[in-house]
Amino acid sequence: MNSPWRFFFVVEALLFLLAVWQIINNTPLLILLGIGMLNVYLAVKRKKHLRTKNFQLIVGCLMILVSLLNSPALWLMIVFAILFIGLKGVEISGIDFSKHSFWRKKQIIMVETDEPQNHDGKKKKQQWFGNERIGNQVYEWDDINLSILSGDTIIDLGNTILPKNDNIVLVRKGFGRTRILIPTGIGVQLEHAAFIGSVTFEEKETELRNEVLTVVSSDYSTSPRRLKIVSNTLVGDLEVIRV
């Protein structure tokens, strides 16, 4: 089995186990699933009363379906399968899949700032995935708002002079690792939500499983310049690194 398909089956297996874990830890869903399976079993065993048998079978299947669809991990399995098979179809069409795999795309954002200027009427586009480098020239600071489907992302604020008071970095992401490089002397507040992933902040790593983590640096309230990071990721790790 080649590497892309091995990756696909490993991810799907992990998501399936997560879906089972979510259902087991949700008592109403577990009861609904058990009753649904019992109705299907009794309907299959029933030999008479065809209408009653069909009704019981339909009710049992609906109960099983409702219990399964209430698991976020199952929806993630479906979405990931659609994305993967769609990209596999691109490979069959003649495009090298190994060079275009969405989880291998990287994006580097290097931020160097100057005094704020007027942006009336300005228009800006941003890629969902792909190789992109932002910051080849110095420009004024503006709050960062990124929406990325997949890939590794590096946001480098090492050469940035943040305005005083509060500044915001907002990242919405599907799959991949995100690294944010922050100058020393900046107070940081992080709010990160992840379906599966980890957070490394102040050299401490925290594993997340369908959880939200809020952490504040020890110098946040006393720092003249503060950065608030709000991040949402389906599958992937987040690292906040002082430089």
Side-chain angles (χ1 to χ4, degrees):
M1 185 182 298
N2 56 24
S3 180
W5 281 110
R6 186 182 299 113
F7 172 80
F8 171 76
F9 286 118
V10 168
V11 172
E12 289 290 285
L14 291 175
L15 291 175
F16 175 76
L17 292 176
L18 181 59
V20 172
W21 179 84
Q22 288 177 338
I23 294 175
I24 291 176
N25 285 272
N26 190 321
T27 304
L29 290 183
L30 185 61
I31 293 174
L32 186 65
L33 179 63
I35 295 175
M37 295 176 66
L38 179 61
N39 274 279
V40 171
Y41 174 78
L42 294 176
V44 172
K45 289 294 184 179
R46 188 187 295 270
K47 297 181 179 180
K48 298 181 179 180
H49 304 293
L50 183 60
R51 291 183 179 179
T52 304
K53 175 180 179 178
N54 290 339
F55 176 77
Q56 190 174 21
L57 182 62
I58 293 173
V59 169
C61 290
L62 287 175
M63 295 176 74
I64 294 174
L65 182 63
V66 169
S67 64
L68 293 177
L69 292 181
N70 273 276
S71 169
L74 184 66
W75 284 103
L76 192 56
M77 285 180 63
I78 297 172
V79 171
F80 182 76
I82 293 173
L83 289 173
F84 185 90
I85 294 173
L87 289 174
K88 199 64 179 174
V90 172
E91 177 191 4
I92 296 174
S93 301
I95 298 177
D96 187 355
F97 187 82
S98 64
K99 296 181 180 179
H100 296 272
S101 300
F102 61 83
W103 53 83
R104 296 182 182 178
K105 299 295 183 181
K106 299 183 183 296
Q107 185 179 51
I108 302 177
I109 302 170
M110 310 257 320
V111 181
E112 299 182 26
T113 61
D114 200 351
E115 294 297 325
Q117 300 176 10
N118 192 308
H119 285 276
D120 293 348
K122 182 178 178 180
K123 181 185 291 186
K124 181 181 178 181
K125 292 183 178 180
Q126 175 204 327
Q127 294 182 350
W128 272 28
F129 52 85
N131 296 321
E132 182 178 3
R133 179 168 180 160
I134 301 174
N136 292 329
Q137 59 185 4
V138 177
Y139 62 98
E140 70 278 11
W141 168 262
D142 194 6
D143 290 338
I144 297 175
N145 187 344
L146 299 177
S147 297
I148 303 168
L149 180 61
S150 60
D152 290 346
T153 304
I154 301 174
I155 302 175
D156 188 353
L157 304 178
N159 296 319
T160 303
I161 300 177
L162 294 176
K164 290 186 177 180
N165 299 324
D166 296 326
N167 305 275
I168 298 175
V169 172
L170 177 61
V171 180
R172 303 180 188 90
K173 194 165 188 178
F175 304 88
R177 182 170 62 175
T178 302
R179 283 181 284 182
I180 303 177
L181 310 181
I182 300 173
T184 56
I186 303 295
V188 180
Q189 177 181 340
L190 171 65
E191 295 181 9
H192 180 66
F195 195 72
I196 301 176
S198 66
V199 174
T200 301
F201 183 80
E202 302 286 2
E203 299 183 352
K204 295 181 180 179
E205 184 175 351
T206 304
E207 296 289 335
L208 298 181
R209 294 293 182 272
N210 196 23
E211 295 173 303
V212 178
L213 174 68
T214 301
V215 60
V216 181
S217 65
S218 58
D219 60 346
Y220 184 79
S221 59
T222 59
S223 295
R225 292 178 170 84
R226 297 185 294 271
L227 182 66
K228 184 175 182 179
I229 302 171
V230 181
S231 176
N232 297 277
T233 303
L234 284 177
V235 179
D237 300 332
L238 172 66
E239 297 179 55
V240 179
I241 305 171
R242 299 279 191 177
V243 294

